[in-house]
Amino acid sequence: MSTSLIDLFVDFFSFGSHNTIVATLGCVMVSIATALIGVFSYLRKESLLGDVVSHSVLPGVVLAYLLFLSKNLLILIAGATLSGWFSIAYIQYAQQRTKLKSDTALAATLSTFFGLGMLLLSIVQQSGKGSQSGLNDFIFGNAAAITSFDLNLISVVFVVIILCLFFLFNSFRLVCFDKDFAVSRGISVQFIEFCLSTLTTIVIASGIQTVGAILISALLMIPSAVASLWTRKLLWVMLISGIAGGVSGLGGVFVSYTTASMPTGPWIVMSLGMMMIVSILFSPRKGVLFKKWNLMRNRRKIHTENILKALYKAHERQGDASVSTLLYPTLDTIRKHRSIDKKTLQRGMRYLIKKHWVIQKDATHYALSTLGHREASAIVRKHRLWEMYLTQKMNIKADHVHPNAEAMEHLITPEIEAQIQKELNSPSHDPHDRRIPYEDA
């Protein structure tokens, strides 16, 4: 089985078939170009607009065929572009001249134009020309139908997209993030928005043969969503988005090539969907698993610091917090001072012993090690300094500061601690007259 799969990879990437080369290059270029333009649609929060335009190009394709009786991709793209632009103008008119909300205008435009396209398509089919024209391929896509002429046209669109992004990148970025600032820099916002809408329409029109009118919007938005889960820098978002688009195009063609009767367009979208799932789970910024791991790490940090502080206070109650050999009676005694369940406390103790911060003298008695005493002192110091800050700088009563300090002691960084200590002139005791342990004490 594995040998067969390897043979398929070798056969596919050896480009033995001219049709395979044409389909692969066409899908990859369309996927990359659509993904790159989709970044700016994503930034402008116009995700649904791409979906509307992708459905609205269908009547333009059918009308172009009816007028010229040709399935030349250049003619069909021209018709699709005009239809897509008309849908955008219709949406803007409906939003400006009526009280319709944007989502209502988008939904109405999508259903109206796509319904018109299906109506015209049925007329063509009933006239006996549908089978010859292959217009059905523009609904779900058919990468195998791409010709060398189509590939050349797609290449021209790809190059135009890349050049526009290269020369107008700064203008696109300013208009997407801050229109007022763009105006102050002498940029024509209306012209830039016109360029973005035109490029979006053209790239959608050029890609409907490979992916189809229904699914092309996925190529416009999913790569941008995937990239935004991994980084916040625009250049990296565009790079990751382009790579995701290219890989999905390659993956869709590969599945279609190696498996009989498997359509290319849906598998391109399926590839993007799998990337989206992986990004949702594993991305370091917003991934579900990363957030879960980070939450668990923070909880462990809070529990272990609370245990260290409880041990420190036990030593302190015995008269000398600096003596790390004093024993804490039992784990049950810790639980009386800290609301920690037994399993969490036992797990925390094992972790502290492993870190050499706590020494277990016998089955029930524990003590802070030298390292543990230093860590515990730092936690207590942050707590008591923050209590002093609240009472002296915020004029909060001493009996009201403890709950806030319980939370802040885990968040205060060394830089913030140094600043607080400087502003308070290194106080020796907290508002409750307890000694504040400094490192040089």
Side-chain angles (χ1 to χ4, degrees), residues 299-300 302-311 328-353 358 360 364 366:
R299 284 179 177 174
R300 185 176 69 176
I302 291 172
H303 289 321
T304 53
E305 288 182 354
N306 286 339
I307 295 171
L308 287 173
K309 189 170 67 172
L311 288 169
Y328 200 91
T330 62
L331 295 180
D332 292 333
T333 309
I334 297 179
R335 294 181 62 202
K336 291 180 181 179
H337 297 279
R338 305 294 317 184
S339 58
I340 305 175
D341 63 88
K342 189 173 183 180
K343 288 185 178 180
T344 302
L345 180 57
Q346 291 173 342
R347 188 163 54 247
M349 275 297 185
R350 288 195 296 268
Y351 174 76
L352 291 171
I353 292 172
V358 169
Q360 185 175 6
T364 58
Y366 299 85

Side-chain angles (χ1 to χ4, degrees), residues 67-127:
L67 289 174
F68 295 93
L69 296 179
S70 171
K71 55 180 181 178
N72 183 293
L73 188 60
L74 179 60
I75 295 174
L76 299 182
I77 285 180
T81 303
L82 290 175
S83 179
W85 245 115
F86 188 74
S87 68
I88 295 176
Y90 180 78
I91 292 170
Q92 293 174 347
Y93 180 85
Q95 291 176 340
Q96 294 172 1
R97 299 300 179 90
T98 67
K99 294 183 179 180
L100 291 177
K101 294 183 178 179
S102 60
D103 58 343
T104 305
L106 290 169
T109 304
L110 184 150
S111 56
T112 301
F113 275 75
F114 191 68
L116 176 61
M118 294 301 295
L119 177 62
L120 293 173
L121 188 60
S122 64
I123 293 174
V124 173
Q125 290 172 334
Q126 291 174 7
S127 67

